[in-house]
Amino acid sequence: MTIVFQVSKNVQEKMKEFYKDKMRPKTPPYAIFQAEEADTIITLYESGKAMFQGVSADVDAHLWVDMEKHLNQRVIDINEPKKKEEKENGCYFYQSTIGSDEVGTGDFFGPIVVTAAYVSKENIAFLDELGVKDSKKLTDDKIKKIIPKLIKRIPYVTYTLNNQDYNNWQEKGYNMNQIKAILHNKVLYQIKERNYPADRIVVDQFVYPKKYFEHIKEAKDIVSNITFTTKAESKCASVAAASCISRYIFLMQMEEMSKNIQITLPKGANHVVDQIGKEIVQKYGFEKLREIAKLNFKNTQKIQES
């Protein structure tokens, strides 16, 4: 059982005094302390969130829920996360999950990066402390800062599809959804083989489940027990982690590619991308795009017409 809630400053001081003789010598990142009380592990984070883990977590949490009510007239419902989870269709933030997400499918330049990550209940507060959420809601600088910390603690598997392979697949008749499904299945199978105790496997739905499994029917190993849901990054901690890890690897790849051709490659598929594409063709020839771009995008035609 895991219970997390925000604790007021005066109650934080009471907690530090109460657990001072039961504190562990080492604390997790961004934690003020971590203590062990019988069957419960109590962690107080710098953000003011307290996490109670263990068989008796609800008993220990109620002590401080009552303290909040007594000192601050705050009413805390420790069952609220579960109620919210049941109310909102497909919210799995308080479960141990494996989730996968991809980056780069909407970018003319750069690879497609797909990651599957495992996040246990015990690490959900750690992700919250780092500010991990959907990578599209974080700046590149934030991603570069927090992901090196994340990948030291969160198990993950990543597959990077370079542009040459992508273009070859496209020319063989594979569409984007087929490619995504194949890569998601690949990383999910690899991380599932490690036997992490996940309550479920979650994928951000980009195609109907029936079509997803049609796309991967020729795969040797297939992961079938999947929960598909839209906007999964905001509903599932492991999908949010996978999204951010994929973004980080994509950014590193883009920087390396930019360095190699001595031209800064922009993200997306807008008119700026067209201009940079024309510059690359003038400097290196059209075939260079096969190495660094997705040739089936409309940008290719605009570049050729210039």
Side-chain angles (χ1 to χ4, degrees):
M1 181 183 296
T2 301
I3 296 171
V4 181
F5 58 89
Q6 192 76 24
V7 181
S8 302
K9 284 287 185 182
N10 56 346
V11 176
Q12 290 180 40
E13 296 304 316
K14 297 280 186 182
M15 290 182 72
K16 285 188 278 187
E17 178 65 23
F18 184 85
Y19 292 116
K20 67 180 180 181
D21 297 326
K22 300 174 182 179
M23 291 185 184
R24 290 179 165 181
K26 292 184 179 180
T27 59
Y30 308 102
I32 297 172
F33 74 78
Q34 186 171 74
E36 189 167 355
E37 173 72 63
D39 296 324
T40 307
I41 305 299
I42 302 95
T43 309
L44 178 63
Y45 288 94
E46 293 171 359
S47 64
K49 288 187 177 179
M51 180 168 67
F52 303 82
Q53 300 167 283
V55 177
S56 305
D58 55 340
V59 176
D60 291 278
H62 270 297
L63 171 65
W64 305 105
V65 168
D66 292 341
M67 186 70 71
E68 283 284 358
K69 185 176 182 180
H70 174 69
L71 294 180
N72 305 310
Q73 289 74 55
R74 281 185 65 205
V75 177
I76 299 172
D77 184 357
I78 61 175
N79 293 315
E80 185 177 354
K82 289 185 178 180
K83 291 176 182 176
K84 186 177 180 182
E85 179 180 328
E86 292 168 359
K87 183 178 179 182
E88 296 179 2
N89 181 27
C91 183
Y92 314 110
F93 243 98
Y94 297 94
Q95 299 180 10
S96 296
T97 58
I98 290 172
S100 63
D101 202 8
E102 82 287 332
V103 166
T105 57
D107 298 278
F108 180 62
F109 295 117
I112 294 174
V113 183
V114 183
T115 300
Y118 169 68
V119 176
S120 65
K121 294 177 184 177
E122 292 74 19
N123 277 324
I124 291 171
F126 171 66
L127 265 66
D128 189 46
E129 291 297 318
L130 286 180
V132 171
K133 50 187 174 183
D134 180 5
S135 65
K136 293 185 285 295
K137 298 178 181 178
L138 298 173
T139 65
D140 291 350
D141 287 341
K142 181 72 171 178
I143 288 286
K144 293 175 185 177
K145 181 179 179 181
I146 66 175
I147 300 309
K149 300 174 185 177
L150 179 73
I151 60 180
K152 289 180 180 178
R153 184 159 170 177
I154 300 300
Y156 70 98
V157 171
T158 291
Y159 187 90
T160 301
L161 183 70
N162 64 46
N163 297 98
Q164 288 177 310
D165 289 341
Y166 172 82
N167 291 322
N168 288 337
W169 282 26
Q170 281 284 330
E171 289 164 6
K172 290 177 182 178
Y174 289 84
N175 63 39
M176 183 65 84
N177 282 342
Q178 285 177 291
I179 293 172
K180 286 165 65 174
I182 291 168
L183 299 184
H184 274 271
N185 182 67
K186 184 184 291 287
V187 294
L188 286 172
Y189 180 79
Q190 290 180 23
I191 201 165
K192 189 176 181 235
E193 283 293 280
R194 299 179 186 179
N195 293 316
Y196 294 116
D199 296 319
R200 67 179 66 233
I201 298 171
V202 183
V203 172
D204 188 26
Q205 184 171 322
F206 56 88
V207 69
Y208 287 117
K210 182 180 178 180
K211 199 68 177 175
Y212 173 91
F213 288 111
E214 284 181 13
H215 290 330
I216 63 172
K217 63 183 179 182
E218 295 181 5
K220 179 182 177 182
D221 302 299
I222 293 176
V223 178
S224 57
N225 55 330
I226 295 174
T227 298
F228 294 93
T229 183
T230 57
K231 299 182 180 179
E233 304 96 328
S234 61
K235 300 175 183 177
C236 178
S238 60
V239 177
S243 171
C244 291
I245 293 170
S246 290
R247 190 68 180 174
Y248 174 76
I249 294 171
F250 176 82
L251 292 172
M252 296 300 101
Q253 291 277 322
M254 287 284 277
E255 287 184 6
E256 184 65 24
M257 292 165 68
S258 298
K259 182 179 178 182
N260 289 340
I261 64 172
Q262 297 183 318
I263 297 174
T264 300
L265 296 173
K267 296 185 288 295
N270 52 32
H271 69 281
V272 176
V273 170
D274 297 336
Q275 294 302 316
I276 296 297
K278 293 173 186 177
E279 183 180 341
I280 291 168
V281 170
Q282 290 171 359
K283 188 173 182 179
Y284 297 103
F286 182 80
E287 276 304 305
K288 191 66 177 177
L289 289 181
R290 176 171 286 275
E291 299 177 22
I292 61 175
K294 302 175 184 70
L295 296 183
N296 67 311
F297 278 39
K298 292 180 180 178
N299 304 81
T300 303
Q301 183 178 349
K302 295 176 183 177
I303 294 167
Q304 288 176 314
E305 291 172 351
S306 62

